[in-house]
Amino acid sequence: MGAVLSLKNVDKKIGKAQIIQDVSFDVYPGEIFGFLGPNGAGKTTTIRMIVGLTKMTAGDITVNGHSIATDYKRAIEQIGTIVENPELYPYLTAEKNLIHFGRMSKNVTKKDINDRLKLVNLDYAKDQKVKTFSLGMKQRLGIAQAMLHRPKLLILDEPTNGLDPAGIREIRTFLRKVAKEENVAILISSHLLSEIEHICDRFAIIQEGNITQIESVSNESDLKQGVHSYYIETDNPTRAQKLIETTFPNLTITQQEQFIQLMLTKEEAGNIVTLLTSNDVVVYQVVLEKQSLEERFFEATSGGLV
Amino acid sequence: MFWSLIRNEWMKVFNRTSTYVMIGLLIVGVLITAIYTFYQQKDQQLPSEEEWRSELMQQNEEYLEQEKTTINRYIKSHAINQQAINEYRLEHNISPYDKENVWSYMESNTSLTQMIGVFVILIGASIVSLEFKQGTAKLLLVRSASRLQILFAKFATVILFGLFLLVILFMSSIIIGGSLFGFDASSTHISASNGEVFEWSRTLYVGVDYLSNSITVFMLSAFAFMISTMFRSDSIAIAISIMLLFIGTMATNILGLITDWARFSLFANTDLTVYFSGGPMVEDMTFSFSIVMLILYLSLFLTLAGVFFKKRDVSI
Ligand SMILES: Nc1ncnc2c1ncn2[C@@H]1O[C@H](COP(=O)(O)OP(=O)(O)OP(=O)(O)O)[C@@H](O)[C@H]1O
Ligand SMILES: [Mg+2]
């Protein structure tokens, strides 16, 4: 399937400063794409160019084949967005805000508005003015606003900014659902690695206006072949360590409180659990420590990122 | 689409408290002038025919003297016109004193259009810049409506709002003035320009007077709209426009004493009643000249607003 969003060699200069340089990436239907970079890297600027708030200096951006530069109306119709903060009309109620933006698109009915309010759990507050809203409520209303006209591409600039953990999880599940069920392409920017790790399928790293790499979040194939770090919790770590040392003399074992840590393949891990249980050591848990995105991130950027 | 955009703007204007404060102040303004006029005329005795005749004749002697001696063009034409009016009154036996009625009250009430002017300028100056201040421009502009459509829907809303306030002023003046002074409309209004006299029915004159006053309001709100769109700041736009609203005409009058070029000033052309009453600022100006100038100014304001609004990057 073709890309919904496609950036090709996009540049942005403001005065003499090169804010964005040669940025290219594609986002596909049903995919959540992360746009990761530290403060001031150029995430918001790139998003502004995608939605036409700022003109690019060079390059092209297309949405389902329609260029933002030359076919703006057709391109923008397919995008729903929040740029930077979810700023809505503070003196209008939640519902009126949606009525306002609904009127600006074709075929948004009263029912669509109510559905979207329910979807983001705000139907209880629909007659409340937005100035009385908490940041989390605004963020959710912003998302409802962005999804009002059933866009094919959803662009959210730091959507979990200001949300509590429950709110973050809620949005995460919600976005996954939207991507899967409505086959929407979603672009999310963030400066938090953990967030990208939890929500995205793929991500690009942007630093000082340059894309330094694009990759997938989970490399499940790694787990099948490679050796990984395992933590095993038992009722008697000292005895467990002795048992393992005698049976597998070439493994290095370190003991950390109730845990022993060792580098194993999947098969070896299985054998060790059998060994321990058959010798009456109670195994509480076996934890596989994935190398976190954060570590890969530091490797990739040689620690240059927060 | 355009209609939806106007409905949106209207909804936003009417969901703000300040709008209701404006409407309230306008009605209070009408109440105050009405009550003031009421107490002014309560114990007033209309002078007898002999009295006003001799008064007018004496006035005319003074005006004639003025006409001969003054070097100020405005004072001179004023003296000529007043003489013409007074002679017309003497000839047709129309007293300058008149029992107060709703129309004469409304004539004295036209200064309240200045208040409308201030309010419409406030709305015109903020309707674009507020979107940037609030950050909502980002959501407003990323839709299929073009920037120009959005801009002109906003301008149309400012004008509609001005008309709305005008209707409020008109209605409340008629209701309050009518119940205090009655609806007698038999008397007439007399004006003169270049020594030529015009006699108006009161109702017609009030209508023309209000409309003509609204032209200044209309042009200045277009001006405020342009400034705030160009600078994205309502305070600059409000300050300049309100200053012009109050001193623009006076300043142009002074300019008119120095040079004939004053005819190209906006304010030399906003008051179209001068062609029936008092005469234009520069002698050979005509009604159609003023209309053309107004159209040119309006196109200039709107074009500049459009160019700036369309071009600029939104980086809020
Ligand atoms: N209008 C402007 N004029 C000059 N420089 C600008 C302008 N807008 C942005 N910049 C610069 O461009 C760079 C990128 O800014 P941008 O807002 O895109 O960063 P960001 O990745 O969104 O950061 P954050 O995580 O803080 O939101 C910054 O160095 C900023 O100073
Ligand atoms: Mg940003």
Side-chain angles (χ1 to χ4, degrees):
Chain A
M1 212 176 322
V4 176
L5 172 67
S6 172
L7 279 80
K8 290 197 180 68
N9 314 101
V10 173
D11 277 4
K12 176 70 182 177
K13 262 189 182 163
I14 300 181
K16 279 203 169 142
Q18 184 86 41
I19 311 273
I20 298 293
Q21 194 164 19
D22 204 23
V23 163
S24 304
F25 61 85
D26 293 320
V27 184
Y28 295 92
E31 167 181 61
I32 304 185
F33 188 88
F35 199 38
L36 181 57
N39 292 130
K43 303 181 293 292
T44 303
T45 307
T46 307
I47 289 177
R48 281 205 187 100
M49 287 193 286
I50 299 174
V51 299
L53 288 175
T54 295
K55 292 186 177 61
M56 59 201 131
T57 329
D60 196 16
I61 297 173
T62 55
V63 183
N64 273 336
H66 302 288
S67 161
I68 276 286
T70 59
D71 195 5
Y72 183 70
K73 192 168 157 6
R74 300 276 284 285
I76 199 72
E77 273 172 357
Q78 318 193 39
I79 304 181
T81 186
I82 306 178
V83 183
E84 212 132 58
N85 302 308
E87 285 147 325
L88 294 128
Y89 296 100
Y91 47 83
L92 296 184
T93 63
E95 191 181 23
K96 279 186 178 164
N97 263 290
L98 293 191
I99 290 174
H100 176 275
F101 291 113
R103 277 189 195 139
M104 298 185 76
S105 305
K106 277 174 252 158
N107 311 325
V108 175
T109 61
K110 190 103 189 153
K111 185 173 172 300
D112 293 332
I113 289 172
N114 286 327
D115 286 351
R116 292 311 188 202
L117 281 168
K118 280 209 191 77
L119 198 66
V120 296
N121 277 333
L122 276 179
D123 47 339
Y124 73 96
K126 70 180 172 134
D127 294 323
Q128 221 170 302
K129 289 195 173 173
V130 167
K131 65 178 163 208
T132 67
F133 274 24
S134 71
L135 184 52
M137 290 163 84
K138 282 185 199 163
Q139 200 70 262
R140 300 209 303 264
L141 186 59
I143 292 178
Q145 167 276 137
M147 299 203 39
L148 208 51
H149 55 296
R150 297 169 206 288
K152 290 274 158 258
L153 171 63
L154 201 54
I155 300 178
L156 307 173
D157 197 1
E158 310 201 12
T160 55
N161 202 358
L163 295 186
D164 57 21
I168 292 177
R169 189 164 335 145
E170 200 180 310
I171 287 210
R172 207 185 282 158
T173 344
F174 170 76
L175 290 179
R176 280 228 190 80
K177 196 173 130 190
V178 169
K180 288 273 133 19
E181 288 175 9
E182 308 193 20
N183 208 28
V184 171
I186 304 182
L187 173 67
I188 291 178
S189 84
S190 175
H191 52 260
L192 294 176
L193 315 162
S194 53
E195 178 165 299
I196 294 291
E197 188 173 27
H198 281 120
I199 311 184
C200 299
D201 303 311
R202 287 194 308 138
F203 65 99
I205 300 171
I206 179 166
Q207 275 183 299
E208 292 171 9
N210 293 284
I211 298 270
T212 50
Q213 68 187 103
I214 300 179
E215 59 176 284
S216 299
V217 167
S218 60
N219 294 348
E220 290 190 6
S221 49
D222 282 5
L223 302 183
K224 290 197 184 107
Q225 331 153 347
V227 175
H228 290 273
S229 163
Y230 281 85
Y231 286 83
I232 301 172
E233 188 186 3
T234 56
D235 61 343
N236 190 342
T238 319
R239 198 166 118 75
Q241 186 170 354
K242 284 224 175 75
L243 274 169
I244 299 168
E245 271 167 356
T246 40
T247 326
F248 305 97
N250 50 352
L251 289 177
T252 356
I253 306 170
T254 46
Q255 194 181 327
Q256 295 179 4
E257 292 168 29
Q258 288 303 105
F259 288 92
I260 49 171
Q261 186 270 330
L262 58 180
M263 303 298 291
L264 301 169
T265 64
K266 220 173 172 174
E267 288 70 32
E268 287 172 330
N271 295 339
I272 284 177
V273 174
T274 323
L275 170 74
L276 293 178
T277 40
S278 57
N279 284 289
D280 294 330
V281 176
V282 182
V283 176
Y284 295 128
Q285 54 175 334
V286 179
V287 182
L288 177 133
E289 188 197 31
K290 261 197 224 175
Q291 185 191 21
S292 75
L293 190 57
E294 188 155 7
E295 286 166 43
R296 276 155 60 193
F297 208 53
F298 274 113
E299 268 166 35
T301 62
S302 49
L305 260 152
V306 187
Chain B
M1 178 53 113
F2 196 66
W3 179 235
S4 314
L5 294 178
I6 293 182
R7 280 175 69 196
N8 273 347
E9 295 307 323
W10 196 256
M11 174 173 83
K12 286 184 272 186
V13 168
F14 279 88
N15 272 279
R16 301 218 303 263
T17 326
S18 54
T19 305
Y20 295 94
V21 174
M22 289 177 191
I23 297 171
L25 283 175
L26 191 60
I27 294 174
V28 168
V30 172
L31 274 174
I32 289 175
T33 56
I35 290 167
Y36 177 79
T37 315
F38 182 75
Y39 281 104
Q40 282 272 302
Q41 56 91 56
K42 209 169 74 166
D43 313 310
Q44 195 185 17
Q45 286 287 323
L46 293 183
S48 69
E49 187 175 338
E50 236 146 81
E51 280 168 328
W52 67 257
R53 277 184 171 275
S54 70
E55 189 188 329
L56 289 191
M57 281 190 279
Q58 201 201 327
Q59 266 184 19
N60 268 5
E61 276 165 35
E62 285 162 21
Y63 281 131
L64 188 65
E65 183 66 24
Q66 244 182 31
E67 186 190 333
K68 282 179 185 149
T69 53
T70 186
I71 49 159
N72 184 320
R73 209 153 58 65
Y74 297 123
I75 296 181
K76 186 167 172 169
S77 79
H78 178 73
I80 294 175
N81 288 330
Q82 285 305 315
Q83 287 177 68
I85 292 175
N86 286 350
E87 269 157 29
Y88 188 91
R89 287 187 182 282
L90 291 168
E91 197 178 313
H92 293 84
N93 203 20
I94 304 168
S95 167
Y97 298 99
D98 197 7
K99 211 171 148 334
E100 194 75 38
N101 59 49
V102 64
W103 312 111
S104 61
Y105 158 68
M106 281 176 75
E107 231 176 276
S108 62
N109 210 3
T110 47
S111 58
L112 284 176
T113 50
Q114 297 250 343
M115 199 159 155
I116 293 186
V118 173
F119 295 159
V120 179
I121 285 171
L122 288 178
I123 296 281
S126 61
I127 198 163
V128 173
S129 56
L130 204 57
E131 301 275 2
F132 288 91
K133 213 191 243 169
Q134 287 164 176
T136 41
K138 285 181 295 194
L139 295 183
L140 191 68
L141 297 180
V142 296
R143 317 265 152 184
S144 52
S146 76
R147 288 200 189 183
L148 283 186
Q149 279 177 320
I150 291 171
L151 187 73
F152 287 114
K154 282 185 176 292
F155 184 66
T157 306
V158 174
I159 300 311
L160 285 175
F161 183 70
L163 287 175
F164 171 81
L165 288 184
L166 211 59
V167 169
I168 298 256
L169 175 61
F170 223 83
M171 298 304 283
S172 56
S173 295
I174 287 182
I175 293 168
I176 296 169
S179 49
L180 284 177
F181 311 114
F183 289 96
D184 176 26
S186 56
S187 66
T188 56
H189 178 94
I190 296 166
S191 69
S193 167
N194 281 329
E196 191 189 344
V197 176
F198 300 88
E199 185 173 346
W200 306 72
S201 92
R202 281 261 187 231
T203 26
L204 178 65
Y205 184 76
V206 165
V208 169
D209 203 20
Y210 272 67
L211 271 186
S212 155
N213 273 296
S214 320
I215 292 176
T216 315
V217 171
F218 176 77
M219 295 305 289
L220 277 176
S221 37
F223 178 78
F225 186 77
M226 169 193 73
I227 298 283
S228 90
T229 305
M230 284 167 70
F231 297 104
R232 290 184 183 172
S233 146
D234 49 355
S235 38
I236 302 174
I238 291 169
I240 303 180
S241 314
I242 291 185
M243 190 188 73
L244 288 178
L245 175 68
F246 287 110
I247 67 158
T249 309
M250 210 200 319
T252 310
N253 274 331
I254 295 169
L255 192 67
L257 287 176
I258 306 167
T259 165
D260 273 4
W261 287 93
R263 78 178 68 204
F264 296 111
S265 152
L266 172 62
F267 297 96
N269 297 288
T270 43
D271 186 2
L272 294 175
T273 52
V274 292
Y275 295 106
F276 314 104
S277 170
M281 186 165 294
V282 179
E283 243 161 286
D284 56 353
M285 280 169 67
T286 63
F287 188 81
S288 30
F289 172 81
S290 287
I291 296 284
V292 170
M293 286 308 293
L294 289 176
I295 292 174
L296 285 181
Y297 269 106
L298 184 65
S299 330
L300 175 75
F301 294 162
L302 293 184
T303 310
L304 279 178
V307 167
F308 273 77
F309 193 66
K310 211 176 152 184
K311 276 270 164 69
R312 195 169 302 173
D313 281 355
V314 177
S315 54
I316 38 165

Short mmCIF file of all heavy atoms in Angstrom, two decimals, chain A residues 247-285:
data_model
loop_
_atom_site.label_atom_id
_atom_site.label_comp_id
_atom_site.label_asym_id
_atom_site.label_seq_id
_atom_site.Cartn_x
_atom_site.Cartn_y
_atom_site.Cartn_z
N THR A 247 26.45 -27.27 36.83
CA THR A 247 25.93 -27.89 35.61
C THR A 247 26.43 -27.18 34.35
O THR A 247 26.72 -27.81 33.33
CB THR A 247 24.39 -27.87 35.61
OG1 THR A 247 23.92 -28.03 36.94
CG2 THR A 247 23.82 -28.97 34.73
N PHE A 248 26.44 -25.85 34.35
CA PHE A 248 26.91 -25.10 33.18
C PHE A 248 28.12 -24.26 33.57
O PHE A 248 27.99 -23.07 33.84
CB PHE A 248 25.80 -24.17 32.65
CG PHE A 248 24.50 -24.86 32.33
CD1 PHE A 248 23.46 -24.87 33.26
CD2 PHE A 248 24.33 -25.48 31.09
CE1 PHE A 248 22.26 -25.48 32.97
CE2 PHE A 248 23.11 -26.09 30.81
CZ PHE A 248 22.08 -26.11 31.74
N PRO A 249 29.29 -24.84 33.61
CA PRO A 249 30.44 -24.15 34.17
C PRO A 249 30.88 -22.93 33.35
O PRO A 249 31.55 -22.04 33.88
CB PRO A 249 31.55 -25.21 34.16
CG PRO A 249 31.01 -26.38 33.42
CD PRO A 249 29.59 -26.19 33.15
N ASN A 250 30.51 -22.86 32.08
CA ASN A 250 31.00 -21.73 31.28
C ASN A 250 30.11 -20.47 31.33
O ASN A 250 30.32 -19.53 30.59
CB ASN A 250 31.23 -22.15 29.83
CG ASN A 250 30.02 -22.87 29.26
OD1 ASN A 250 29.08 -23.16 30.02
ND2 ASN A 250 30.03 -23.13 27.96
N LEU A 251 29.07 -20.44 32.17
CA LEU A 251 28.23 -19.24 32.27
C LEU A 251 28.71 -18.32 33.39
O LEU A 251 29.12 -18.79 34.44
CB LEU A 251 26.77 -19.64 32.56
CG LEU A 251 25.99 -20.30 31.44
CD1 LEU A 251 24.59 -20.68 31.93
CD2 LEU A 251 25.88 -19.37 30.24
N THR A 252 28.65 -17.02 33.13
CA THR A 252 28.98 -16.06 34.19
C THR A 252 27.70 -15.65 34.90
O THR A 252 26.72 -15.27 34.26
CB THR A 252 29.61 -14.77 33.61
OG1 THR A 252 29.75 -14.94 32.21
CG2 THR A 252 30.90 -14.43 34.28
N ILE A 253 27.74 -15.75 36.20
CA ILE A 253 26.53 -15.46 36.97
C ILE A 253 26.82 -14.34 37.97
O ILE A 253 27.85 -14.35 38.64
CB ILE A 253 26.06 -16.70 37.76
CG1 ILE A 253 25.91 -17.88 36.80
CG2 ILE A 253 24.76 -16.41 38.49
CD1 ILE A 253 25.69 -19.19 37.49
N THR A 254 25.92 -13.37 37.99
CA THR A 254 26.03 -12.39 39.07
C THR A 254 24.77 -12.45 39.90
O THR A 254 23.67 -12.70 39.39
CB THR A 254 26.19 -10.95 38.53
OG1 THR A 254 25.22 -10.75 37.51
CG2 THR A 254 27.58 -10.71 37.98
N GLN A 255 24.96 -12.23 41.21
CA GLN A 255 23.80 -12.32 42.10
C GLN A 255 23.40 -10.93 42.54
O GLN A 255 24.24 -10.12 42.94
CB GLN A 255 24.18 -13.18 43.31
CG GLN A 255 22.97 -13.60 44.11
CD GLN A 255 23.37 -14.42 45.32
OE1 GLN A 255 24.35 -15.17 45.28
NE2 GLN A 255 22.62 -14.27 46.40
N GLN A 256 22.11 -10.63 42.40
CA GLN A 256 21.62 -9.31 42.83
C GLN A 256 20.41 -9.52 43.72
O GLN A 256 19.31 -9.78 43.23
CB GLN A 256 21.23 -8.46 41.62
CG GLN A 256 22.42 -8.10 40.74
CD GLN A 256 22.00 -7.28 39.54
OE1 GLN A 256 20.86 -6.92 39.40
NE2 GLN A 256 22.96 -7.01 38.65
N GLU A 257 20.62 -9.43 45.03
CA GLU A 257 19.58 -9.71 46.02
C GLU A 257 18.89 -11.03 45.72
O GLU A 257 19.54 -12.07 45.64
CB GLU A 257 18.59 -8.54 46.08
CG GLU A 257 19.26 -7.30 46.66
CD GLU A 257 18.43 -6.05 46.47
OE1 GLU A 257 17.19 -6.14 46.41
OE2 GLU A 257 19.05 -4.96 46.38
N GLN A 258 17.57 -11.01 45.47
CA GLN A 258 16.84 -12.26 45.22
C GLN A 258 17.06 -12.79 43.80
O GLN A 258 16.62 -13.90 43.48
CB GLN A 258 15.34 -12.05 45.45
CG GLN A 258 14.94 -11.89 46.90
CD GLN A 258 15.37 -13.08 47.74
OE1 GLN A 258 16.34 -13.00 48.52
NE2 GLN A 258 14.68 -14.21 47.58
N PHE A 259 17.73 -11.97 42.97
CA PHE A 259 17.86 -12.36 41.56
C PHE A 259 19.26 -12.88 41.27
O PHE A 259 20.24 -12.47 41.90
CB PHE A 259 17.66 -11.13 40.65
CG PHE A 259 16.24 -10.66 40.59
CD1 PHE A 259 15.77 -9.68 41.46
CD2 PHE A 259 15.38 -11.20 39.63
CE1 PHE A 259 14.46 -9.25 41.38
CE2 PHE A 259 14.07 -10.75 39.55
CZ PHE A 259 13.61 -9.78 40.43
N ILE A 260 19.35 -13.77 40.28
CA ILE A 260 20.63 -14.01 39.65
C ILE A 260 20.51 -13.55 38.21
O ILE A 260 19.45 -13.66 37.60
CB ILE A 260 21.07 -15.50 39.71
CG1 ILE A 260 19.90 -16.38 39.24
CG2 ILE A 260 21.50 -15.89 41.11
CD1 ILE A 260 20.30 -17.82 39.05
N GLN A 261 21.61 -13.00 37.70
CA GLN A 261 21.57 -12.47 36.34
C GLN A 261 22.56 -13.23 35.51
O GLN A 261 23.66 -13.55 35.95
CB GLN A 261 21.91 -10.98 36.37
CG GLN A 261 21.76 -10.24 35.05
CD GLN A 261 23.03 -10.25 34.22
OE1 GLN A 261 24.14 -10.28 34.76
NE2 GLN A 261 22.86 -10.26 32.90
N LEU A 262 22.18 -13.59 34.28
CA LEU A 262 23.09 -14.30 33.39
C LEU A 262 22.71 -14.13 31.93
O LEU A 262 21.56 -13.80 31.63
CB LEU A 262 23.21 -15.78 33.78
CG LEU A 262 22.00 -16.70 33.83
CD1 LEU A 262 22.45 -18.10 34.26
CD2 LEU A 262 20.95 -16.24 34.80
N MET A 263 23.68 -14.29 31.03
CA MET A 263 23.44 -14.15 29.61
C MET A 263 23.14 -15.51 29.01
O MET A 263 23.95 -16.43 29.10
CB MET A 263 24.67 -13.55 28.91
CG MET A 263 25.12 -12.20 29.46
SD MET A 263 23.89 -10.90 29.27
CE MET A 263 23.91 -10.69 27.50
N LEU A 264 21.95 -15.64 28.36
CA LEU A 264 21.50 -16.95 27.90
C LEU A 264 20.83 -16.87 26.54
O LEU A 264 20.36 -15.81 26.14
CB LEU A 264 20.45 -17.51 28.88
CG LEU A 264 20.83 -17.72 30.33
CD1 LEU A 264 19.60 -18.02 31.13
CD2 LEU A 264 21.87 -18.82 30.45
N THR A 265 20.75 -18.03 25.88
CA THR A 265 19.83 -18.14 24.76
C THR A 265 18.51 -18.63 25.33
O THR A 265 18.42 -19.04 26.49
CB THR A 265 20.31 -19.16 23.71
OG1 THR A 265 20.32 -20.44 24.33
CG2 THR A 265 21.69 -18.81 23.19
N LYS A 266 17.50 -18.61 24.48
CA LYS A 266 16.17 -19.04 24.89
C LYS A 266 16.17 -20.48 25.41
O LYS A 266 15.59 -20.78 26.47
CB LYS A 266 15.25 -18.95 23.67
CG LYS A 266 13.88 -18.43 23.96
CD LYS A 266 13.17 -18.26 22.63
CE LYS A 266 11.72 -17.92 22.85
NZ LYS A 266 11.05 -17.62 21.59
N GLU A 267 16.87 -21.38 24.69
CA GLU A 267 16.90 -22.80 25.05
C GLU A 267 17.58 -23.00 26.39
O GLU A 267 17.10 -23.74 27.26
CB GLU A 267 17.63 -23.63 23.98
CG GLU A 267 16.87 -23.79 22.66
CD GLU A 267 16.77 -22.50 21.87
OE1 GLU A 267 17.72 -21.66 21.96
OE2 GLU A 267 15.74 -22.28 21.19
N GLU A 268 18.73 -22.33 26.56
CA GLU A 268 19.45 -22.44 27.82
C GLU A 268 18.57 -21.99 28.98
O GLU A 268 18.57 -22.61 30.04
CB GLU A 268 20.72 -21.58 27.77
CG GLU A 268 21.81 -22.17 26.90
CD GLU A 268 22.98 -21.23 26.70
OE1 GLU A 268 22.77 -19.99 26.71
OE2 GLU A 268 24.09 -21.71 26.52
N ALA A 269 17.82 -20.93 28.77
CA ALA A 269 16.94 -20.44 29.83
C ALA A 269 15.97 -21.52 30.25
O ALA A 269 15.74 -21.76 31.45
CB ALA A 269 16.19 -19.20 29.34
N GLY A 270 15.41 -22.23 29.27
CA GLY A 270 14.47 -23.31 29.56
C GLY A 270 15.14 -24.40 30.40
O GLY A 270 14.60 -24.83 31.43
N ASN A 271 16.34 -24.79 29.95
CA ASN A 271 17.06 -25.85 30.68
C ASN A 271 17.34 -25.46 32.11
O ASN A 271 17.23 -26.28 33.03
CB ASN A 271 18.40 -26.14 29.99
CG ASN A 271 18.18 -26.73 28.61
OD1 ASN A 271 17.10 -27.27 28.32
ND2 ASN A 271 19.18 -26.61 27.74
N ILE A 272 17.69 -24.18 32.33
CA ILE A 272 18.03 -23.76 33.68
C ILE A 272 16.82 -23.78 34.59
O ILE A 272 16.89 -24.22 35.73
CB ILE A 272 18.69 -22.36 33.64
CG1 ILE A 272 20.12 -22.53 33.15
CG2 ILE A 272 18.65 -21.68 34.99
CD1 ILE A 272 20.89 -21.28 32.97
N VAL A 273 15.67 -23.38 34.06
CA VAL A 273 14.46 -23.43 34.89
C VAL A 273 14.16 -24.88 35.30
O VAL A 273 13.85 -25.17 36.46
CB VAL A 273 13.25 -22.81 34.13
CG1 VAL A 273 11.97 -23.00 34.91
CG2 VAL A 273 13.51 -21.32 33.90
N THR A 274 14.31 -25.81 34.35
CA THR A 274 14.07 -27.22 34.67
C THR A 274 15.05 -27.69 35.75
O THR A 274 14.65 -28.36 36.72
CB THR A 274 14.28 -28.10 33.41
OG1 THR A 274 13.79 -27.39 32.29
CG2 THR A 274 13.59 -29.44 33.55
N LEU A 275 16.31 -27.32 35.58
CA LEU A 275 17.34 -27.71 36.54
C LEU A 275 16.98 -27.25 37.94
O LEU A 275 17.01 -28.02 38.90
CB LEU A 275 18.68 -27.10 36.12
CG LEU A 275 19.82 -27.21 37.13
CD1 LEU A 275 20.35 -28.65 37.18
CD2 LEU A 275 20.95 -26.26 36.79
N LEU A 276 16.58 -25.95 38.05
CA LEU A 276 16.30 -25.40 39.37
C LEU A 276 15.08 -26.05 40.00
O LEU A 276 15.12 -26.49 41.15
CB LEU A 276 16.08 -23.88 39.25
CG LEU A 276 17.32 -23.05 38.85
CD1 LEU A 276 16.96 -21.58 38.71
CD2 LEU A 276 18.44 -23.22 39.86
N THR A 277 14.02 -26.15 39.26
CA THR A 277 12.78 -26.71 39.86
C THR A 277 12.97 -28.17 40.25
O THR A 277 12.49 -28.60 41.29
CB THR A 277 11.58 -26.57 38.90
OG1 THR A 277 12.03 -26.84 37.57
CG2 THR A 277 11.00 -25.18 38.93
N SER A 278 13.70 -28.92 39.42
CA SER A 278 13.88 -30.34 39.75
C SER A 278 14.78 -30.51 40.97
O SER A 278 14.84 -31.56 41.58
CB SER A 278 14.45 -31.11 38.54
OG SER A 278 15.66 -30.52 38.16
N ASN A 279 15.52 -29.45 41.35
CA ASN A 279 16.34 -29.50 42.56
C ASN A 279 15.69 -28.73 43.71
O ASN A 279 16.38 -28.23 44.61
CB ASN A 279 17.73 -28.96 42.28
CG ASN A 279 18.57 -29.97 41.51
OD1 ASN A 279 19.00 -30.99 42.04
ND2 ASN A 279 18.75 -29.69 40.23
N ASP A 280 14.38 -28.59 43.64
CA ASP A 280 13.59 -27.98 44.71
C ASP A 280 13.92 -26.52 45.00
O ASP A 280 13.71 -26.03 46.09
CB ASP A 280 13.72 -28.78 46.02
CG ASP A 280 13.09 -30.15 45.86
OD1 ASP A 280 12.13 -30.25 45.07
OD2 ASP A 280 13.56 -31.10 46.49
N VAL A 281 14.46 -25.82 43.99
CA VAL A 281 14.57 -24.37 44.14
C VAL A 281 13.29 -23.77 43.52
O VAL A 281 12.92 -24.11 42.41
CB VAL A 281 15.80 -23.82 43.39
CG1 VAL A 281 15.85 -22.29 43.48
CG2 VAL A 281 17.07 -24.43 43.98
N VAL A 282 12.61 -22.94 44.31
CA VAL A 282 11.36 -22.36 43.79
C VAL A 282 11.69 -21.16 42.89
O VAL A 282 12.38 -20.24 43.32
CB VAL A 282 10.44 -21.90 44.95
CG1 VAL A 282 9.13 -21.36 44.38
CG2 VAL A 282 10.20 -23.05 45.90
N VAL A 283 11.22 -21.23 41.64
CA VAL A 283 11.45 -20.12 40.71
C VAL A 283 10.23 -19.20 40.71
O VAL A 283 9.13 -19.62 40.37
CB VAL A 283 11.72 -20.64 39.28
CG1 VAL A 283 11.87 -19.46 38.31
CG2 VAL A 283 12.96 -21.50 39.26
N TYR A 284 10.41 -17.96 41.16
CA TYR A 284 9.29 -17.02 41.18
C TYR A 284 9.08 -16.36 39.82
O TYR A 284 7.97 -16.25 39.33
CB TYR A 284 9.53 -15.92 42.24
CG TYR A 284 9.56 -16.45 43.65
CD1 TYR A 284 10.63 -16.16 44.49
CD2 TYR A 284 8.52 -17.24 44.13
CE1 TYR A 284 10.67 -16.63 45.79
CE2 TYR A 284 8.56 -17.72 45.44
CZ TYR A 284 9.62 -17.42 46.26
OH TYR A 284 9.66 -17.88 47.52
N GLN A 285 10.18 -15.91 39.22
CA GLN A 285 10.01 -15.31 37.89
C GLN A 285 11.30 -15.33 37.08
O GLN A 285 12.39 -15.33 37.64
CB GLN A 285 9.49 -13.87 37.98
CG GLN A 285 10.32 -12.98 38.87
CD GLN A 285 9.82 -11.54 38.82
OE1 GLN A 285 9.23 -11.10 37.86
NE2 GLN A 285 10.11 -10.78 39.87
#
